[in-house]
Amino acid sequence: MTVIGNTTLLIRRLGELRRRRDVLVDRQDQLRGTLPEWALAPLQLVGMSAGEIQAMMNDLSEAERKAGLNEVERDIEILDHQIEELENMLLATPARGLDGIQAVLEMAVARFREQTVTDPSDVFYDYGDARTLRFLERAADDLRALMSNEQRVAS
């Protein structure tokens, strides 16, 4: 992978890779929806002999292969690896200005937002995580406003 030394370019490339990954994950979900009904009901394996379970798993692997899931999963793994490499480069590349800092903060907030439940009625809600997300969003909003204000003054 080529070395990218600019924070903004790294963020842009990470966004492209994440969009491609999201498309593949959607495709993976669609392909899983085309699997035979028996492939989606693993709990029905209860009471089966070891030989029957092995045969079922072989059939499942074959059905996933025919549906193209193996290729999609391999493509997702490749993208995950590329994303990790770029994130490591981003962590090692100091921002050279407020725009780079803003880009990194926006990316971090977006990732944290994806992983954080903000609905208090959700069983996975965590007050501390939701509050931390709110602090990060506030910092990003403040930085965005500051940058916008500076640009207006400069022009």
Side-chain angles (χ1 to χ4, degrees), residues 21-69:
R21 185 186 189 287
D22 290 344
V23 167
L24 284 174
V25 168
D26 289 343
R27 182 168 174 232
Q28 182 182 42
D29 290 342
Q30 290 171 351
L31 289 174
R32 281 203 172 109
T34 64
L35 291 175
E37 186 176 319
W38 57 263
L40 302 175
L43 294 177
Q44 294 176 343
L45 296 176
V46 175
M48 298 175 85
S49 70
E52 291 173 320
I53 292 172
Q54 183 62 41
M56 182 72 78
M57 295 309 295
N58 289 339
D59 290 345
L60 175 60
S61 296
E62 180 64 20
E64 286 179 345
R65 186 191 61 73
K66 285 181 180 177
L69 273 170

Side-chain angles (χ1 to χ4, degrees), residues 1 18 23-24 32 34 40 43 45 56 58 65-66 75 77 83 86 90 92 101 104 107 111 120 122 133 137 139 148:
M1 178 169 281
R18 283 202 181 95
V23 167
L24 284 174
R32 281 203 172 109
T34 64
L40 302 175
L43 294 177
L45 296 176
M56 182 72 78
N58 289 339
R65 186 191 61 73
K66 285 181 180 177
D75 291 344
E77 285 178 27
I83 287 169
L86 285 175
L90 181 63
I101 295 169
V104 171
M107 185 195 77
R111 290 257 326 255
D122 191 303
L133 175 60
E137 289 173 335
S148 176

Side-chain angles (χ1 to χ4, degrees), residues 71-145:
E71 291 83 18
V72 172
E73 288 174 359
R74 188 176 55 248
D75 291 344
I76 289 172
E77 285 178 27
I78 290 168
L79 284 174
D80 284 344
H81 180 70
Q82 291 174 351
I83 287 169
E84 184 176 354
E85 283 182 11
L86 285 175
E87 287 176 344
N88 288 339
M89 288 171 53
L90 181 63
L91 290 171
T93 304
R96 291 185 169 80
L98 286 177
D99 57 339
I101 295 169
Q102 181 184 11
V104 171
L105 181 59
E106 295 284 346
M107 185 195 77
V109 169
R111 290 257 326 255
F112 196 59
R113 188 180 296 126
E114 288 174 5
Q115 301 171 1
T116 303
V117 176
T118 56
D119 180 6
S121 63
D122 191 303
V123 68
F124 295 108
Y125 175 77
D126 181 284
Y127 177 77
D129 287 349
R131 188 118 172 113
T132 301
L133 175 60
R134 186 63 197 115
F135 281 124
L136 289 170
E137 289 173 335
R138 167 70 190 274
D141 290 344
D142 290 348
L143 183 57
R144 197 176 310 112

